[in-house]
Amino acid sequence: MSFVLLAALLPAWTGCNDNAFLTENPETFYTVDNAFSTSEQVDQVLVSCYSHIRVMFCMVEENNTSWVFRGGNGTDMFDVAIIRRSSRFNDYGILNASTEEFYTNYSHWYQLIAKANLALYAAELPQIAWASAADKAYAAAQARFFRAFCYRNLGELYGGVPIVTEITTSPRYDFERATRTATYQFAIDELEAILNDLPETTATPGRLVRAAAQHNLAQLYIDKGVALAEEGNSGESAAAYAKAITFAGQVIDGGTYSLMTERFGSRKDENPEYYYTQNPAEQTSERSYSVAGYPLEGNVYWDLYQEGNQNYQEGNREAIWCAQIDYAAYKKEDGQSKLQYSRAFGAVFRDPLAAHVGGTLEDVGGRGIACAIPTFYTRDVIYEGKWADDLRNSEAVFRRTFLGNNTSSEYYGKPVPWSVLNREGESQDAIDVADSQVFPISCKIATDKYTGLSEGENRSNLFRDEYLIRLPETILLRAEARWRAGDNAGAAADINLLRARAKCSYMVQASDVGLELILDERARELVYEETRWNTLLRMGGTVAVERIKKYSYWDDPRATLTKNFNLWPIPQTVIDTNKDRPMAQNPGWN
């Protein structure tokens, strides 16, 4: 029947003398110029920028790019467990300009730049009515901040890159790289131009404030100073460090922000509580660490990472900018509103040590799969000797005691010695499995009270907001700038602000101050927060290479890292696609 129908229709089709019926004539056709009609729509583009930042910094995308950029895989601080060796990022026998992580990260920044440029373009459309000139200025300031933030990160990771300030409506193959210094300068100019349009504080958590720009200016001026020094321009370099000190000081000494020094927030009267059991139904007081004689005491540093305590609006005076995570939104419609930290960063006790301690409950840090693990530098070296007495190394914050939770184990309800946890005396394979999958658990990646368990959550995710900028990092930037400017005493005073809050018994002296101390203190304060690749690469010289080779968990870089570099490569796809203008590759990656 269908064949007969087709035959009957065929003459009508073949009898047409033209193709007019194929021409589209839509009643409406949206372009960039007519798609926006309200200021709220412009703000939605800005919301997409905030969302983009959350994807990148909260490891929403479960892939190796996230674990490299945010997780720090392949640096002095982080690596991968033996079960993730196929995702290693420190074997320079296989890393090259075509490695996917370099391209995906690079693309992420330009996608965000495109969104920021779109918001800036739309904000100026004549049909957009703004409630006030200040509202319009704030919208533009947010967009320009995002654009500057992108170029700061691109400059630190890739060096000079093409600076794109307009929306692109047709393919281009002729982008030209700026220098690293020029890339930093563009970001500096953007941020300095918007300072007066960013509010001191906001009523809305997560929205940008002036201190976020000032913090980034401090970092950018350090970046610029290092780049100028490498070019042999010491005079301008010194001036850049002075500017960094000024901008950091405006945040530190401005009166709006201060370190939290007393217990606060949603659990200020509580201590963390763990149970040595592999069965949630058996989590009773009889099986608590406290009853077993190993109580944990909460402290102000632990409070910083408890749910509900992250935002300035909630009373946290050291919070400058936070990504917003909301469990109710996650359950309803926002599947990206989560921190997969217990999963991605978490240890894997269940496989190598099930005979003594295992499972996926709170006592072992949840349901970890060890996509990014702390190196021995991160877990032990920075706390050796006089550095051990530190709230950031306390059991509440960085838990090293694990009680046996297998009833047949001789260690049931007792601490399992690290010699057992590390499987000392067994084969090297067994040791590698244990060493790379079992490690101290930070309160930044796990909790004793997981949200949503009664609704099906499985101890993979945290539902607290996440710091993007916290005052201690601003303090560490000023310490670095002061050290680079030759003021070791000032640098030591800044570092001791953090050490005093952490109740350290040892306060640093001017003679202690150097790049090693600054990097170590960043590791102690900002573990699981900073983007360590940015930190190492922006230092210039051979800092990244030397520290990776010295502290890497695996021996890959010690065997394969035979070149010096302080930049990631420009992705080969970018070079190849830019066919109308040659784009030089970064040194060491040809």
Side-chain angles (χ1 to χ4, degrees), residues 50 64 167 212 247 305 331 360 368 372 558:
Y50 285 102
N64 202 40
I167 59 174
F247 278 114
Y305 302 93
K331 292 297 291 184
T360 60
R558 286 182 277 276

Side-chain angles (χ1 to χ4, degrees), residues 184-231:
Y184 291 146
Q185 189 62 53
F186 175 82
I188 287 170
D189 292 343
E190 287 285 274
L191 293 177
E192 289 185 337
I194 63 172
L195 284 175
N196 292 332
D197 295 325
L198 291 171
E200 190 72 24
T201 61
T202 70
T204 306
R207 288 283 180 161
L208 285 163
V209 293
R210 188 175 305 142
Q214 292 165 327
H215 171 99
N216 274 274
L217 280 164
Q219 185 160 327
L220 278 160
Y221 271 111
I222 295 174
D223 293 346
K224 180 183 174 183
V226 172
L228 287 168
E230 291 198 321
E231 295 170 3

Side-chain angles (χ1 to χ4, degrees), residues 480-560:
E480 180 185 341
R482 282 176 162 171
W483 165 70
R484 292 186 183 280
D487 181 9
N488 283 23
D494 277 340
I495 291 170
N496 283 334
L497 293 174
L498 305 183
R499 297 188 62 76
R501 190 270 290 280
K503 300 189 184 305
C504 301
S505 58
Y506 181 74
M507 295 292 117
V508 302
Q509 309 300 311
S511 57
D512 294 323
V513 177
L515 188 58
E516 293 293 313
L517 174 65
I518 289 167
L519 290 173
D520 290 353
E521 199 64 29
R522 287 186 69 93
R524 284 185 280 263
E525 181 68 33
L526 300 173
V527 61
Y528 295 111
E529 291 182 64
E530 75 167 332
T531 49
R532 191 67 169 187
W533 271 111
N534 289 65
T535 298
L536 294 184
L537 293 177
R538 71 177 180 79
M539 295 294 165
T542 59
V543 172
V545 170
E546 291 169 0
R547 289 185 67 89
I548 290 168
K549 292 175 74 170
K550 181 177 181 179
Y551 293 118
S552 172
Y553 184 89
W554 299 103
D555 284 332
D556 298 295
R558 286 182 277 276
T560 63

Side-chain angles (χ1 to χ4, degrees), residues 409-431:
S409 169
E410 62 187 293
Y411 298 109
Y412 180 64
K414 302 175 183 177
V416 183
W418 276 98
S419 60
V420 174
L421 293 175
N422 293 335
R423 299 173 75 170
E424 292 179 9
E426 298 186 41
S427 70
Q428 188 59 49
D429 285 346
I431 292 172

Side-chain angles (χ1 to χ4, degrees), residues 459-473:
R459 300 176 178 85
S460 292
N461 304 321
L462 302 179
F463 293 98
R464 62 167 175 82
D465 300 319
E466 175 62 315
Y467 298 110
L468 297 174
I469 303 175
R470 194 162 57 88
L471 182 64
E473 186 172 12

Side-chain angles (χ1 to χ4, degrees), residues 348-366:
V348 185
F349 280 84
R350 55 193 177 276
D351 295 329
L353 292 160
H356 302 297
V357 57
T360 60
L361 299 188
E362 288 81 356
D363 61 322
V364 292

Side-chain angles (χ1 to χ4, degrees), residues 256-476:
T256 301
Y257 301 93
S258 58
L259 293 176
M260 303 299 291
T261 57
E262 303 293 334
R263 297 208 60 187
F264 73 100
S266 61
R267 300 186 64 184
K268 67 179 181 179
D269 298 319
E270 298 180 29
N271 296 320
E273 185 69 84
Y274 295 96
Y275 302 89
Y276 53 94
T277 173
Q278 295 187 46
N279 182 351
E282 296 175 352
Q283 291 187 348
T284 61
S285 60
E286 292 79 11
R287 292 183 175 84
S288 75
Y289 274 44
S290 297
V291 169
Y294 297 92
L296 289 82
E297 293 186 10
N299 57 56
V300 65
Y301 200 82
W302 180 76
D303 287 337
L304 287 168
Y305 302 93
Q306 301 312 300
E307 193 171 317
N309 288 1
Q310 283 68 56
N311 291 298
Y312 185 89
Q313 293 82 356
E314 296 163 334
N316 185 340
R317 290 297 181 258
E318 65 185 69
I320 295 173
W321 186 26
C322 293
Q324 299 301 293
I325 306 292
D326 183 80
Y327 179 67
Y330 167 78
K331 292 297 291 184
K332 186 174 182 180
E333 59 185 1
D334 186 1
Q336 294 184 334
S337 191
K338 61 184 177 182
L339 300 178
Q340 300 181 97
Y341 288 2
S342 293
R343 174 175 169 80
F345 285 127
V348 185
F349 280 84
R350 55 193 177 276
D351 295 329
L353 292 160
H356 302 297
V357 57
T360 60
L361 299 188
E362 288 81 356
D363 61 322
V364 292
R367 190 172 173 269
I369 61 173
C371 296
I373 67 169
T375 62
F376 284 113
Y377 164 78
T378 304
R379 63 178 86 165
D380 293 327
V381 172
I382 57 176
Y383 292 114
E384 289 176 347
K386 64 187 178 184
W387 308 102
D389 189 15
D390 186 324
L391 285 186
R392 298 167 298 189
N393 189 40
S394 66
E395 282 287 309
V397 173
F398 202 44
R399 188 158 53 88
R400 300 173 183 273
T401 300
F402 300 94
L403 304 187
N405 61 19
N406 188 326
T407 56
S408 64
S409 169
E410 62 187 293
Y411 298 109
Y412 180 64
K414 302 175 183 177
V416 183
W418 276 98
S419 60
V420 174
L421 293 175
N422 293 335
R423 299 173 75 170
E424 292 179 9
E426 298 186 41
S427 70
Q428 188 59 49
D429 285 346
I431 292 172
D432 285 343
V433 167
D435 280 357
S436 71
Q437 292 181 219
V438 175
F439 41 82
I441 304 297
S442 170
C443 70
K444 298 183 183 183
I445 68 166
T447 180
D448 61 322
K449 288 188 176 182
Y450 282 93
T451 294
L453 296 181
S454 64
E455 298 180 88
E457 289 299 307
N458 62 8
R459 300 176 178 85
S460 292
N461 304 321
L462 302 179
F463 293 98
R464 62 167 175 82
D465 300 319
E466 175 62 315
Y467 298 110
L468 297 174
I469 303 175
R470 194 162 57 88
L471 182 64
E473 186 172 12
T474 318
I475 292 171
L476 287 166

